[in-house]
Amino acid sequence: MKIQKLFRQVHHWGSIVIAIPLLIMIGAGILLMLKKEIEWIQPKTQKGMEREAIPQKSLIELYAVAKSVKHAGIGDWADLERVDVKANKGIIKFVSASNWEVQVDANTAEVLQVAFRRSDIIEQIHDGSFFADWAKLWLFLPAGIILFILWSTGIYLFSLPHVKKHKKQKKKKKLSQL
């Protein structure tokens, strides 16, 4: 079997195998690229009072303020998914396991914003872990590998006619010089 025919078969069947996971990865990836531009995906980061100063409140005090926001669902430290310190903006983000984000001014301990954060869910959809733990490694990773193979063989198939044309012209030029 010629390599061209093999690569075309790889493209044919490989594209069918990865169609749905790739569609999900691309759609979620586009949303993730826009997360800073669309507040529905990820809440805009607010700015605290004194961004240059050392925070006047302790992490415990700021945590207590975030915990007081009822619908954020923060009952104890275990309910936190992450705590982001944005020193240059003078805030601390408390992100709950239920994807609620509470932004607190690091100096005044004022709640600046409470919003639902969808970017983490979209990221889980993008890598496949949203669907099942096994989907990330046994469905989405192979789809990515197959996509890389399709890209590699596609480059070969695309450039092959150009290489053949160049060789033909070179041979023709060599014959005309004789």
Side-chain angles (χ1 to χ4, degrees):
M1 177 184 288
K2 285 180 108 180
I3 194 134
Q4 287 174 283
K5 187 173 182 178
L6 174 67
F7 283 180
R8 283 191 182 95
Q9 288 292 327
V10 167
H11 270 263
H12 178 78
W13 293 106
S15 61
I16 291 169
V17 168
I18 68 167
I20 292 174
L22 190 60
L23 182 65
I24 292 168
M25 283 190 276
I26 291 170
I30 290 169
L31 289 176
L32 287 173
M33 283 188 233
L34 297 171
K35 72 181 180 183
K36 299 289 185 182
E37 281 73 28
I38 301 172
E39 287 188 39
W40 179 83
I41 299 171
Q42 181 171 308
K44 184 178 179 184
T45 301
Q46 303 299 311
K47 291 183 179 172
M49 296 299 274
E50 295 181 47
R51 294 188 296 275
E52 302 300 323
I54 295 173
Q56 301 300 309
K57 303 293 182 183
S58 71
L59 185 60
I60 300 298
E61 291 173 293
L62 298 171
Y63 165 71
V65 171
K67 187 177 173 180
S68 71
V69 177
K70 296 293 180 212
H71 65 273
I74 302 171
D76 57 29
W77 282 101
D79 295 330
L80 288 174
E81 184 66 31
R82 78 168 63 89
V83 177
D84 288 338
V85 177
K86 301 291 185 184
N88 62 332
K89 300 214 176 189
I91 67 154
I92 297 184
K93 294 180 180 183
F94 294 91
V95 181
S96 71
S98 60
N99 293 311
W100 280 93
E101 176 181 281
V102 181
Q103 295 184 26
V104 181
D105 188 303
N107 289 299
T108 65
E110 174 189 352
V111 174
L112 299 174
Q113 178 172 284
V114 178
F116 191 73
R117 182 184 174 108
R118 292 171 180 84
S119 59
D120 299 331
I121 297 168
I122 295 169
E123 189 174 320
Q124 290 172 346
I125 292 170
H126 181 68
D127 71 14
S129 60
F130 175 82
F131 304 103
D133 289 337
W134 60 267
K136 182 176 183 175
L137 293 176
W138 297 102
L139 188 63
F140 282 71
L141 177 62
I145 292 168
I146 292 170
L147 178 61
F148 179 73
I149 292 167
L150 292 178
W151 175 81
S152 302
T153 57
I155 292 295
Y156 176 83
L157 290 170
F158 174 80
S159 53
L160 189 63
H162 299 288
V163 170
K164 282 185 176 182
K165 183 179 178 182
H166 177 71
K167 281 183 181 180
K168 193 174 185 179
Q169 287 175 344
K170 194 174 177 182
K171 187 176 180 181
K172 196 176 193 180
K173 187 176 181 182
K174 199 175 196 179
L175 285 174
S176 67
Q177 289 176 348
L178 294 176

